[in-house]
Amino acid sequence: MDEKTMIKNLGILADYFLQVAIAERDKDIDLSFKCYQCSDMLKEVAERITPAEAEIEGGSSSWFYVCGECHGAIDPKDKYCRHCGQPIDWSGK
């Protein structure tokens, strides 16, 4: 399974667990809360594996690449940000 499909499926699962949490809210509060937590966790995982686009920052004669997520300095050979661990998308550069 490719990365984009995995991210899409995580979003579908997160939406499903959120719908279950809402449906169970008045019947079983513990199940509702656990489903909400699962939904929240799946959304967070999807965000963490979604590559951040590399950006250019600097001024005058000094320009450098930064992570699109945390804006920490990165090198063009980096696949992951050395500061936050986010995958880096270099396709736009």
Side-chain angles (χ1 to χ4, degrees):
M1 178 181 315
D2 69 349
E3 190 176 272
K4 289 183 181 184
T5 304
M6 187 182 305
I7 292 167
K8 179 182 174 187
N9 288 342
L10 286 169
I12 292 168
L13 280 171
D15 291 343
Y16 171 77
F17 275 105
L18 185 58
Q19 290 173 5
V20 172
I22 292 168
E24 293 296 320
R25 187 170 30 199
D26 295 329
K27 300 175 210 161
D28 187 342
I29 191 84
D30 290 331
L31 176 61
S32 175
F33 183 65
K34 288 177 184 174
C35 287
Y36 172 76
Q37 287 178 315
C38 286
S39 174
D40 197 43
M41 178 197 60
L42 289 165
K43 287 178 186 176
E44 186 174 329
V45 169
E47 287 175 14
R48 292 293 299 157
I49 65 173
T50 301
E53 188 172 332
E55 298 176 0
I56 298 174
E57 286 187 359
S60 188
S61 62
S62 177
W63 297 92
F64 50 93
Y65 289 109
V66 296
C67 169
E69 182 68 24
C70 73
H71 293 273
I74 55 175
D75 290 330
K77 65 183 180 214
D78 292 341
K79 292 183 180 183
Y80 297 90
C81 176
R82 56 184 78 181
H83 305 282
C84 70
Q86 192 80 13
I88 302 297
D89 176 12
W90 291 98
S91 64
K93 303 298 170 234

